[in-house]
Amino acid sequence: MTNTARVRYRFAQWTLRAITPMSVRHGGLCMWCGERSNDTTDPDTAQLWCLKHAGLTGHTDYELSAFQYFNATMTGPTGGTHGT
């Protein structure tokens, strides 16, 4: 005989909000060796890091990315999983 538990799911609504003092950040990644630039608010600084790294190492493949930090805030009913 197997024991089966009944589970009830409740879903909650969430909202993402940008962390206001944090602006969009930029970074460079060398695809050859995995070395990364420091993240910066200036996209030109991230690109310059890639060019300097290329000059020092001869590595030629890079990824430039832009990202922003967010907070998740519950806006709807409380969620969770409750067993009965």
Side-chain angles (χ1 to χ4, degrees):
M1 181 170 174
T2 58
N3 184 6
T4 57
R6 297 176 74 192
V7 178
R8 190 175 345 153
Y9 294 97
R10 294 186 183 166
F11 297 96
Q13 295 176 346
W14 290 79
T15 299
L16 290 177
R17 290 191 177 97
I19 299 174
T20 48
M22 304 283 290
S23 60
V24 174
R25 311 293 292 176
H26 303 273
L29 168 67
C30 176
M31 302 301 288
W32 285 46
C33 71
E35 192 171 339
R36 294 180 177 273
S37 69
N38 293 329
D39 64 70
T40 176
T41 58
D42 181 18
D44 292 338
T45 301
Q47 291 178 14
L48 183 59
W49 178 87
C50 294
L51 293 172
K52 285 181 180 180
H53 187 76
L56 290 170
T57 63
H59 298 168
T60 57
D61 299 323
Y62 294 87
E63 174 186 288
L64 286 170
S65 59
F67 56 94
Q68 189 166 12
Y69 295 101
F70 291 87
N71 283 329
T73 307
M74 190 177 296
T75 58
T78 303
T81 304
H82 304 284
T84 55

